Amino acid sequence: MSASGGTKAIVAALAANLAIAVAKFVAFLFSGSSSMLAESVHSLADSGNQGLLLLGGKKAKREATPQHPFGYGRERYIYAFLVSIVLFSVGGMFAVYEGYEKIKHPHPIEDWYWPIGVLVFAIIAETFSFRTAIKESNAIRGNQSWKEFVRRAKAPELPVVLLEDLGALVGLFLALGGVGIALLTGDGIWDGIGTLCIGILLILIAIVLAAETKSLLLGESAGVEDVKKIEAAVVDGETVTRLIHMRTLHLGPEELLVAAKIAVRTDETASQVAAAINAAEERIRAAVPIARVIYLEPDIYNESAAAAGINPAKSPGGPGH
């Protein structure tokens, strides 16, 4: 997995979640708090999610084969989508069920110092993990807002870890609130309400993750800045006179396919056109290094067809015919 895959953030989150899961299970056994049980399952599910992200990164490194000529870069998208399913089912739905059961059959919390102590420890550990994810994300998000970064990032790992850590921190404060109010009032129903809120939060985060990774799985184009760089690199003003139309597609977070129809001069020989195409490919790769698969089709630009508004995406031959 590349550096942009956020391996450091994933490992930090995995270590934090494993430690927190063990601590929460112990607190649940001593206190009987349903919030602690829901939170421990949540942390265990998060640990599994980080394992899935690491596994997806490893599988994505496999070399291309005749059956998969464009490689396995999208493995990372598949495993990120699995994370959203695990978070929804194991994390969210389980917490909703536990919350409902606790509200229906409330009982007081025993040995209060166990859940309170573990929640404070978990908040500290999750804050460390969240801080690492933020630091890793800041290195690549540039001027994008956090919302734009989550929506537009082509590498799914960092947005997944960010949302997981954010959900974990908010969930911990919800659990702390539920346990605290239950202790103050002596009414265990508040513990169940806190658990229910945690479940709803996890389900909402899972839905956001599923929507974003689904878009990546369907195939997203290059970012706006990369598209502009490619368009500028294609034309040399000599043999290649203009870009007629272009399509880009992410084969993986760090691999981009570029397919374009380019206009060439009518008096150029086949060898000159071939040399111009090779030169254009070199310029594209220099401008956007992740553009590794490039197909350029030479054509003769037809001004009258272009003026008539022929859509090259719908016309088999494009405006050159």
Side-chain angles (χ1 to χ4, degrees):
M1 191 185 303
S2 70
S4 63
T7 305
K8 184 177 179 180
I10 297 173
V11 173
L14 177 59
N17 281 316
L18 285 174
I20 293 170
V22 173
K24 288 175 181 176
F25 270 124
V26 173
F28 161 70
L29 292 175
F30 279 92
S31 67
S33 168
S34 68
S35 290
M36 283 292 90
L37 179 58
E39 275 295 312
S40 60
V41 172
H42 172 199
S43 294
L44 193 62
D46 280 353
S47 301
N49 288 341
Q50 273 97 55
L52 286 173
L53 293 176
L54 291 172
L55 179 62
K58 183 178 180 180
K59 284 183 171 292
K61 293 179 179 179
R62 290 179 294 171
E63 296 293 331
T65 65
Q67 188 176 6
H68 297 93
F70 292 114
Y72 293 85
R74 289 194 180 184
E75 288 270 16
R76 288 166 66 179
Y77 299 153
I78 293 171
Y79 280 86
F81 188 76
L82 289 176
V83 165
S84 68
I85 296 173
V86 172
L87 192 63
F88 179 89
S89 57
V90 179
M93 295 304 294
F94 178 81
V96 167
Y97 171 77
E98 279 297 314
Y100 170 77
E101 285 295 313
K102 189 59 181 285
I103 293 172
K104 189 176 180 181
H105 306 291
H107 60 78
I109 296 175
E110 303 171 356
D111 298 325
W112 62 270
Y113 42 84
W114 276 102
I116 296 296
V118 168
L119 285 172
V120 172
F121 164 73
I123 288 172
I124 294 172
E126 284 291 357
T127 299
F128 167 75
S129 175
F130 192 39
R131 180 177 174 275
T132 303
I134 289 174
K135 185 178 179 180
E136 291 279 292
S137 300
N138 279 334
I140 62 173
R141 76 182 178 99
N143 296 324
Q144 292 179 329
S145 67
W146 286 108
K147 180 180 178 181
E148 290 174 335
F149 176 70
V150 170
R151 295 194 63 182
R152 298 179 183 177
K154 305 305 180 183
E157 292 85 1
L158 279 174
V160 168
V161 174
L162 278 169
L163 289 177
E164 274 191 354
D165 285 350
L166 177 61
L169 275 173
V170 175
L172 286 168
F173 280 107
L174 288 172
L176 188 61
V179 171
I181 297 175
L183 290 171
L184 290 173
T185 62
D187 189 351
I189 195 172
W190 289 103
D191 186 28
I193 292 174
T195 307
L196 187 63
C197 291
I198 292 169
I200 293 172
L201 172 69
L202 294 179
I203 289 172
L204 290 175
I205 290 176
I207 291 173
V208 172
L209 285 177
E212 295 305 318
T213 50
K214 174 190 173 184
S215 178
L216 291 169
L217 278 170
L218 288 174
E220 289 190 356
S221 63
V224 175
E225 292 300 319
D226 282 344
V227 168
K228 290 179 179 179
K229 290 178 182 178
I230 294 171
E231 290 175 344
V234 168
V235 179
D236 61 6
E238 297 177 2
T239 301
V240 181
T241 59
R242 75 166 61 221
L243 174 66
I244 298 176
H245 67 82
M246 180 177 71
R247 300 290 182 269
T248 60
L249 178 68
H250 268 274
L251 302 174
E254 282 90 33
E255 189 169 16
L256 185 67
L257 181 148
V258 179
K261 179 170 286 191
I262 57 176
V264 298
R265 296 172 61 89
T266 58
D267 56 351
E268 299 289 345
T269 65
S271 60
Q272 289 173 320
V273 171
I277 289 175
N278 291 334
E281 290 178 355
E282 290 180 5
R283 292 194 300 272
I284 291 172
R285 291 191 175 97
V288 182
I290 65 171
R292 300 177 186 174
V293 182
I294 303 174
Y295 298 106
L296 300 180
E297 178 186 353
D299 202 349
I300 305 301
Y301 184 70
N302 187 318
E303 291 188 6
S304 60
I310 295 177
N311 186 347
K314 294 181 179 180
S315 174
H321 294 273

